[in-house]
Amino acid sequence: MARTRCDRTPAWAQLQTAFAASGKGLDLREAFAQDNKRFERLSQSAPYVFADLSKNRIDAASEALLLDLARQSGVAEHRDAMFAGEKINHTEGREVWHVLLRTPPAATNDGSHRAIELAKVHETLNAMLAYAESVRADAAITDVVNIGIGGSDLGPQMAVLALDAFANSGKRVHFVSNVDGHELAATLKKLKVESTLFLIASKTFTTIETMTNAHSAKAWFAAQGGTDTARHFAALTTNVAAANAFGITTTFGFWDWVGGRYSMWSAIGLPLAIAIGAQGFRDFLAGAHAMDEHFRTAPLEQNLPVRLGLLDLWYRNFHGFTSRSIAPYHSALRRLPAYLQQLEMESNGKRVDGEGATLPFGTSPVLWGESGTNGQHAYFQMLHQGTDVVPLEFVAVKTARHDLGGHHALLLANVLAQAQALMVGKSDIGGHKHFPGNRPSTFLLLDDLTPASLGALIALQEHRVFVSGSLWGINSFDQWGVELGKVLAKDIEARLANGDASGLDGSTAGLLARLRAVPHESFET
Ligand code: F6P
């Protein structure tokens, strides 16, 4: 598979020229004035998502060059390699095959590696969904507690909240992720042993936060007189042996080729399946699959993940914008920014290319945001009048699933008004009330927030991250950057107990001494 790092293509140099000539100074208000078809040209439909890209600082020439960049970098070939199950996660020697988790079953099994894995996917999915239905039907279970962190928490948590309107199991679903005991303690206070199901969600079944919380949950269960672990604990993991050794016999597996932050389509999605039911979960997978097919087959110029990934590169490497803000105008999507932070920043927060060479350009932007309209009353001031330009990504949903009069129209009016204000600005000679405008935004519109549309929206985000990572020539599927802190925490945990500060830097040693001096707390084990 031929991949060329973006800065080594002819299109990169042409983009630099085009940026200096017209890209840098592009004014969106003038662009609309000169082209009354700009909205039609720069908006498109993809499965379940309508996207208006017209308020972005691109013109026909830069978009054409960006598409050349995608062609010359080999993005389509790289995408095809991912779908074909090549080991494109080369630093871990793994396939990147989360798309298989939402691929419908094959009519026949031709014995290929793909067919064998797909058959395993459906066997596990069927078992997991049957279990979800049995939990839903079990009136004695009132509370489901997911214990997991990172990809084993953010995806299912975000989706359970997002699809609250479809949650009809009557169960309360809790998420405990932090090793901070306050979180688990606060949750346990609300629970009764006989009515609680713990789901221990961990791809590796070694993550210290999850294992610590799982051990404490197990100890609480035993202390409260619980004995039937098979009924009250289930594990979602690729490491079934470790789950068994922990004492859990009810397990749902997945595979090495599912990255943690891409895993909510696997057994990690069980909390969602319990909340919305087997059919809802299948609809969620089907929506994602529809977006996969769009990404796999649409020509690059009408391929939404490709266009968004190219814009991301344009803003990061040419305009020099260092962050992107996500503004979901739907309160049920309030955990979407947190979910996207892991997806984007753990995937593309890399400073070396596939060969380990230091990159001469920036990669992942800082991703951040809040649901609208709350963000307007917090940080939108900076977006409108601050010194930095932050491209915004609005997500709006046409239909409301409540019947409170007036609210939804007001919400939609606000999202439109914000996108408009950012772009059109407002002149004021006094300065303080001056809005410079020309601030770019993308507008993603769903007809309704359903399992299928959420699946499509998330798959869209996964693929746009793939596209920018592919252009940058990085491996978007490893996460070595989280390892060092884990190792040092183990060392410091021992030092907190024994007070040994030898070899530590002055600041860490000083803080260690101060923490050990806290009179009311002991770290002795
Ligand atoms: O933070 C690193 C990481 O490996 C993430 O990629 C992952 O989602 C998270 O930890 C949790 O890992 P696990 O599911 O193995 O417990």
Side-chain angles (χ1 to χ4, degrees), residues 355-421:
E355 274 69 56
T358 304
L359 292 169
F361 48 75
T363 57
S364 174
V366 177
L367 205 79
W368 58 286
E370 260 291 340
S371 55
T373 58
N374 296 16
Q376 289 173 211
H377 298 275
Y379 53 77
F380 269 52
Q381 162 67 38
M382 178 268 194
L383 299 177
H384 287 286
Q385 290 188 314
T387 49
D388 289 285
V389 174
V390 179
L392 255 278
E393 189 155 298
F394 293 103
V395 181
V397 181
K398 209 165 149 181
T399 328
R401 284 185 171 265
H402 62 76
D403 51 16
L404 298 173
H407 288 253
H408 205 59
L410 195 52
L411 181 72
L412 293 178
N414 268 279
V415 65
L416 277 181
Q418 289 300 324
Q420 183 190 27

Side-chain angles (χ1 to χ4, degrees), residues 408-448:
H408 205 59
L410 195 52
L411 181 72
L412 293 178
N414 268 279
V415 65
L416 277 181
Q418 289 300 324
Q420 183 190 27
L422 284 163
M423 179 177 76
V424 300
K426 179 174 166 286
S427 290
D428 173 61
I429 27 170
H432 295 290
K433 295 179 184 171
H434 181 73
F435 289 68
N438 201 29
R439 303 221 155 174
S441 65
T442 294
F443 200 103
L444 302 179
L445 180 61
L446 312 181
D447 281 342
D448 194 0

Side-chain angles (χ1 to χ4, degrees), residues 149-152 202-204 207 210 260-261 342 346 479 482 486:
I149 197 164
S152 300
S202 175
K203 178 178 171 182
T204 55
T207 304
T210 301
R261 53 194 172 275
Q342 187 195 16
E346 200 172 74
Q479 53 284 319
V482 299
K486 290 185 191 173

Side-chain angles (χ1 to χ4, degrees), residues 18 93 121 153 227 241 272 289 308 323 346-347 354 410 436 493:
V121 163
D153 165 66
T227 49
L272 177 64
H289 179 65
L308 290 177
S323 84
E346 200 172 74
S347 297
L410 195 52
E493 191 189 5

Side-chain angles (χ1 to χ4, degrees), residues 237-406:
T237 183
T238 60
N239 192 353
V240 171
N244 292 157
F246 179 90
I248 300 182
T249 49
T250 309
T251 60
F252 298 95
F254 57 109
W255 307 273
D256 261 0
W257 47 257
V258 184
R261 53 194 172 275
Y262 299 89
S263 64
M264 71 164 143
W265 323 97
S266 71
I268 294 292
L270 181 57
L272 177 64
I274 292 173
I276 66 171
Q279 189 53 50
F281 195 80
R282 287 190 190 280
D283 292 346
F284 176 63
L285 297 181
H289 179 65
M291 189 59 78
D292 293 342
E293 286 302 282
H294 168 77
F295 180 47
R296 200 173 63 76
T297 61
L300 296 191
E301 57 278 9
Q302 280 301 306
N303 193 310
L304 188 55
V306 170
R307 294 175 91 185
L308 290 177
L310 286 168
L311 257 177
D312 294 339
L313 172 140
W314 180 236
Y315 284 151
R316 184 74 184 90
N317 301 132
F318 291 86
H319 284 276
F321 303 151
T322 53
S323 84
R324 181 169 83 243
S325 189
I326 173 101
Y329 273 66
H330 197 303
S331 66
L333 290 172
R334 63 191 174 277
R335 288 297 285 168
L336 183 65
Y339 168 81
L340 292 178
Q341 280 177 335
Q342 187 195 16
L343 179 63
E344 178 111 24
M345 298 202 277
E346 200 172 74
S347 297
N348 286 347
K350 313 281 164 70
R351 53 180 285 286
V352 295
D353 68 12
E355 274 69 56
T358 304
L359 292 169
F361 48 75
T363 57
S364 174
V366 177
L367 205 79
W368 58 286
E370 260 291 340
S371 55
T373 58
N374 296 16
Q376 289 173 211
H377 298 275
Y379 53 77
F380 269 52
Q381 162 67 38
M382 178 268 194
L383 299 177
H384 287 286
Q385 290 188 314
T387 49
D388 289 285
V389 174
V390 179
L392 255 278
E393 189 155 298
F394 293 103
V395 181
V397 181
K398 209 165 149 181
T399 328
R401 284 185 171 265
H402 62 76
D403 51 16
L404 298 173

Side-chain angles (χ1 to χ4, degrees), residues 458-480:
I458 299 306
L460 169 67
Q461 299 291 344
E462 287 179 348
H463 295 324
R464 70 103 67 89
V465 168
F466 174 93
V467 169
S468 53
S470 177
L471 292 161
W472 285 325
I474 59 185
N475 180 2
S476 301
F477 302 101
D478 60 13
Q479 53 284 319
W480 299 109

